[in-house]
Amino acid sequence: MALLQRIADAVVQRRMAAPAVVFLESLGPMSFLGSQAMHFFAPIIELAFSAHEVSQVAALLERRDTTVRLVALIEVASTPQGAAAR
């Protein structure tokens, strides 16, 4: 859950909440394929991120409820009350 919160905070900080929510909602049914792609491209992705984080994100994407939870975290963090709490 902490990793999802960090991702949501990074998205909101970059002012990409709306595009990220649209993207995640459209990607929902394909999240499992995304996790398999992350496993496949792990050697390349690990140039920018740690191997542990890549495996965590891939494991999260294997679960269908992860994108729903991430969208909810982004929406809460992008509201004025959510931003003030941080």
Side-chain angles (χ1 to χ4, degrees):
M1 186 72 164
L3 179 60
L4 289 179
Q5 187 63 53
R6 283 190 6 230
I7 293 169
D9 290 341
V11 167
V12 171
Q13 183 181 16
R14 289 173 177 81
R15 299 175 191 246
M16 297 294 292
V21 167
V22 170
F23 175 74
L24 287 170
E25 287 180 348
S26 66
L27 182 68
M30 303 293 284
S31 65
F32 182 75
L33 291 176
S35 72
Q36 299 307 303
M38 284 195 72
H39 287 299
F40 181 77
F41 290 113
I44 297 168
I45 298 170
E46 288 171 5
L47 295 173
F49 301 99
S50 73
H52 180 68
E53 287 180 333
V54 172
S55 66
Q56 275 186 322
V57 171
L60 284 172
L61 286 175
E62 289 175 1
R63 298 178 53 186
R64 290 189 181 268
D65 66 330
T66 300
T67 55
V68 175
R69 289 180 18 209
L70 183 55
V71 166
L73 288 171
I74 290 171
E75 289 175 343
V76 167
S78 65
T79 61
Q81 297 88 1
R86 299 251 162 235

